[in-house]
Structure formats: structure tokens, C-alpha cells
Amino acid sequence: MTGPGLYLHIPFCRSKCSYCAFNSVAAQRDTVDAYLDLLARQIEEYAALEWCGGRRFSTLFIGGGTPSLASPAKLAAIITLCRSRFSLADQAEISMEANPDTIGPELLTTLREAGLNRLSIGIQSFNNAILAGINRVHTAEQAIKAFHLARGCGLANINIDLIYGLPHQTMADWQEDLQQILALAPEHLALYELTIEPESPFGRLQAEKALVLPDEDLLADMEEATNTLLSPHYQRYEIANFCRPGRQCRHNINYWLNGSYLGLGAGAVSCLDGLRFTHESDPYRFMSAVEHKTTTIRQAECLSRTARFRESMIMGLRLIDGFNLRKLEKRLDISATEVYGPLLAELNSQGRLLRQGEMIRLAPDWLPVANQVLNTLV
Ligand code: SF4
């Protein structure tokens, strides 16, 4: 369905959101532009290596952080560089993440010309009080305007990220968010339940018992409302991802199917045929290493076939239709029984996993508590 993916990480944001534990720091545009100059050097370096640059990539994804914080011309130059140095498939999916306050006509037209064909907008909520409460720097009005601008610039493949389970969020708030989604009609949606990361500002507030979050019953109702409202219009194809027919995110499908990918930039992870390596995560140390031509790789490991099999199971079962277990066994030359013993048969007989021919998937009833099943397969 898709091939290796190329990922570029831009670890800068205008300011930090209260729930965020991603690899990003607050910075100004000058810093982001300087980083992109150094990232361009790393792109050149890896593209020249036959064992990774010699592959044909199906997707390019520029994520962060907030990539759209950079100058449009610098971002366009990075896309152009990737297209000229790496072999990208003719119909490659070229995506970038952007926040509403950084989306303008110049950014969109410049990137469209460079080949961008998918935009992922981090909106998170259409409620201004909730947005302020999580320290987002944009408003709902800016988000809606940004979406229409992107459409007006010819982007026919747009994703919106939303979060539910936010502090003080009510069922009515979430339903209004979903209605707004239906009115905008993006091609793709990523709807995440808020998770509290201990190292985020919310993690610290929670430790002090100073965070008011929706309870489990309300979260379950929100998930049910999501499926009820969206199912006539969107296909849920992954636990947290919905799309119009044929609009799955190809870059992420490759992750969920545990395919190969090359990640460049601070903290970016690569996994090429079982060799996994991770770049320096601190943006400034990363920049210094590139500048001084020293290695940016901080961790590398060769995954065993068993480890790859287990990871493939955990990722692949996130897909609603599951994946082809027989093909995985063939690809890694190891059987599910060698890895798990009788466990898969037990989960199957308990109705948690479903087997149909060569395919395996999570039973629909277990989707709301998917982690309970996936944790047994780690
Ligand atoms: S915009 Fe995204 S990456 Fe940046 S601080 Fe907010 S959640 Fe984190």
C-alpha cells in the first residue's frame, strides 16, 4: 500500500502548550531558519549514503514542533532539496504540520509550488476558553480562517488534530467541536484523548491534584459521540484516526505496518530494515553537531526478529482492519507461535482478537480499551 517514509523533525514552537511532552522548545523564526539550514546539510549527507539515500520514498512528512514557524522560503527549499536529493515516488504524499496562527497565504502558496499536497493543522479545540486553558496561542476563529485559506490555495487533503478529555471540557463542548468539523469537512481527522505526560506542565499540576479532568464515564461518552457523529461521514481506520474514502495518511500507515522510515532532524528516529537509530534530541546540541560535522546519532540498535514481530503486532493492531499476519511471518521469517506461544489463540478464543484468513485485528468491542489487549503483546 505504501513504501518507506522520510520524516523531518522541526523541534520549535512559538510557546509550549500545557499538555505537551513532544520534543520542541519555544523559539523565534530566526532560530528555526538557522536550524533548517543545518537540517539541509544533514539531508545532503544522508541522501549521499546508498543504504538510506538509495531508497525510493513514498512519503515526506515535516513534523514538529511547529514547522510552519519557519520562513516559507526556507521550508520550500527543504522540500525542494528532499525532492532533488532523495528519490521520492511520483505520487509521493508530501505533508507538513502547521498551527493556525502561522498559516498565511504566502506560506501556503510557496509550499504548494514546492510540492506540498497535504496539510495537517493542529487545532485541538474550537472553544476559545479551552484553548486558552491549554496555552494554545491561536483562537478558534484563526483556526477556521486557516482551514479556509488552505482550501482556497488548492489543498485538497487536509487533516485536523483535535483533543478530547481536556480540562473543564463538557460533552456539549466536544459535540460543538465535532459539529464544526463536519461543517469544515476536512479529508482526515486525528482525534486524541488527552494523556497527561508527567514532564509536562499538566503533569506537574496533576501531581498537585490541581487539574480538573473529565471522568472516565464522560470520556467514554465522548468517544461514543465521536463514532456516532462521524461514522456517516468518515471511516475510522485507526484507533484515533478517521478519513474520507482513500484519504488515509500514507506516511502513518507505513509506521503502523512497521515499514522502514528515515528520520532526520533533532530527536528523529529512523528504522531501516530493523536497524533503529535516533538523533540527538536537544535542538541546540543537534545544530552544533551538524555544524561541527560530528555525528548526531545518540542511540542505535539492531532489532531482533522477535522484537520486530512484537512491535509490528502492537502497531498493526491499531489499524481497525488489522493487518496480514501471514505476510508479517514471511517477512520476518518467524511464526506467531514462536513469538507468543499460545497467547494469540487464547486472545482469539476470548474474543479480543479476531482472525479471518491471513488477517488479524482487534475485536471492535475492545477498541475503547485497546491498550489492555496491546499491553499483553509487548
Ligand atoms: S504546538 Fe504541538 S509541539 Fe508545539 S508545544 Fe504545542 S503541542 Fe507541543
Side-chain angles (χ1 to χ4, degrees):
M1 183 165 184
T2 185
L6 176 58
Y7 175 79
L8 306 178
H9 190 71
I10 316 296
F12 300 102
C13 293
R14 193 160 265 167
S15 65
K16 287 292 284 184
C17 306
S18 307
Y19 55 88
C20 181
F22 294 122
N23 180 25
S24 75
V25 297
Q28 304 290 323
R29 174 171 278 183
D30 287 357
T31 305
V32 191
D33 285 353
Y35 173 87
L36 288 186
D37 287 341
L38 292 162
L39 181 61
R41 280 197 213 171
Q42 186 169 67
I43 289 168
E44 299 266 14
E45 184 192 330
Y46 276 78
L49 301 171
E50 177 58 30
W51 61 277
C52 59
R55 290 163 199 258
R56 189 160 174 80
F57 291 93
S58 293
T59 58
L60 166 63
F61 194 104
I62 306 176
T66 307
S68 49
L69 199 51
S71 304
K74 292 272 182 196
L75 285 167
I78 285 285
I79 293 176
T80 304
L81 183 66
C82 287
R83 295 181 71 183
S84 68
R85 296 294 190 274
F86 286 105
S87 169
L88 282 189
D90 295 339
Q91 303 299 321
E93 177 188 272
I94 302 181
S95 306
M96 190 185 80
E97 292 180 332
N99 279 336
D101 51 299
T102 54
I103 295 175
E106 187 196 349
L107 177 89
L108 294 165
T109 46
T110 310
L111 294 189
R112 285 283 292 135
E113 280 165 21
L116 187 86
N117 51 32
R118 186 175 185 274
L119 189 72
S120 177
I121 311 178
I123 292 178
Q124 318 311 354
S125 169
F126 290 100
N127 180 306
N128 283 335
I130 288 176
L131 286 170
I134 58 177
N135 205 32
R136 297 288 295 183
V137 289
H138 62 86
T139 61
E141 293 72 27
Q142 279 177 304
I144 293 167
K145 189 175 166 200
F147 181 89
H148 289 307
L149 265 178
R151 270 284 187 263
C153 283
L155 274 161
N157 197 0
I158 303 177
N159 167 65
I160 288 179
D161 283 348
L162 286 187
I163 304 177
Y164 64 95
L166 290 164
H168 302 290
Q169 191 176 35
T170 64
M171 185 64 165
D173 294 331
W174 180 238
Q175 281 174 325
E176 278 172 29
D177 280 356
L178 294 173
Q179 292 295 351
Q180 184 61 65
I181 284 291
L182 294 180
L184 293 175
E187 285 66 36
H188 193 280
L189 293 166
L191 308 179
Y192 297 105
E193 181 185 328
L194 178 71
T195 48
I196 303 295
E197 305 292 345
E199 62 273 31
S200 69
F202 272 179
R204 290 187 281 280
L205 278 179
Q206 194 182 43
E208 295 162 12
K209 300 200 184 327
L211 204 56
V212 181
L213 294 170
D215 62 26
E216 278 188 14
D217 286 347
L218 180 49
L219 286 172
D221 289 348
M222 285 175 166
E223 178 163 342
E224 198 182 320
T226 305
N227 288 321
T228 307
L229 272 169
L230 296 185
S231 59
H233 311 278
Y234 288 92
Q235 174 199 355
R236 185 184 188 189
Y237 73 100
E238 194 265 354
I239 289 174
N241 285 269
F242 298 72
C243 69
R244 301 268 190 207
R247 293 298 196 174
Q248 291 90 344
C249 175
R250 284 159 50 197
H251 188 80
N252 286 343
I253 292 246
N254 180 51
Y255 287 139
W256 291 315
L257 292 177
N258 213 1
S260 287
Y261 51 90
L262 174 65
L264 300 176
V269 179
S270 304
C271 195
L272 298 169
D273 307 323
L275 172 65
R276 177 181 292 155
F277 54 97
T278 309
H279 294 288
E280 166 65 53
S281 61
D282 180 275
Y284 299 105
R285 283 202 291 265
F286 172 87
M287 290 165 77
S288 172
V290 176
E291 182 135 42
H292 294 98
K293 297 191 169 75
T294 59
T295 182
T296 57
I297 295 178
R298 295 294 176 263
Q299 265 184 326
E301 60 180 327
C302 215
L303 299 171
S304 68
R305 284 180 300 146
T306 305
R308 291 174 72 190
F309 197 96
R310 287 178 181 273
E311 288 189 358
S312 301
M313 286 289 293
I314 291 157
M315 300 296 286
L317 289 173
R318 292 188 60 88
L319 292 165
I320 302 300
D321 290 343
F323 64 95
N324 190 313
L325 184 63
R326 184 75 197 108
K327 273 192 188 162
L328 177 67
E329 290 178 319
K330 270 193 197 156
R331 176 159 69 100
L332 297 179
D333 193 23
I334 192 167
S335 74
T337 313
E338 281 173 82
V339 179
Y340 287 114
L343 180 61
L344 294 192
E346 283 166 19
L347 292 171
N348 193 21
S349 65
Q350 291 163 1
R352 300 181 188 209
L353 291 183
L354 300 179
R355 299 285 297 268
Q356 205 166 23
E358 298 186 342
M359 300 293 289
I360 187 166
R361 67 187 166 106
L362 208 55
D365 289 352
W366 285 85
L367 284 173
V369 285
N371 284 342
Q372 281 184 26
V373 182
L374 299 181
N375 286 343
T376 65
L377 300 169
V378 174

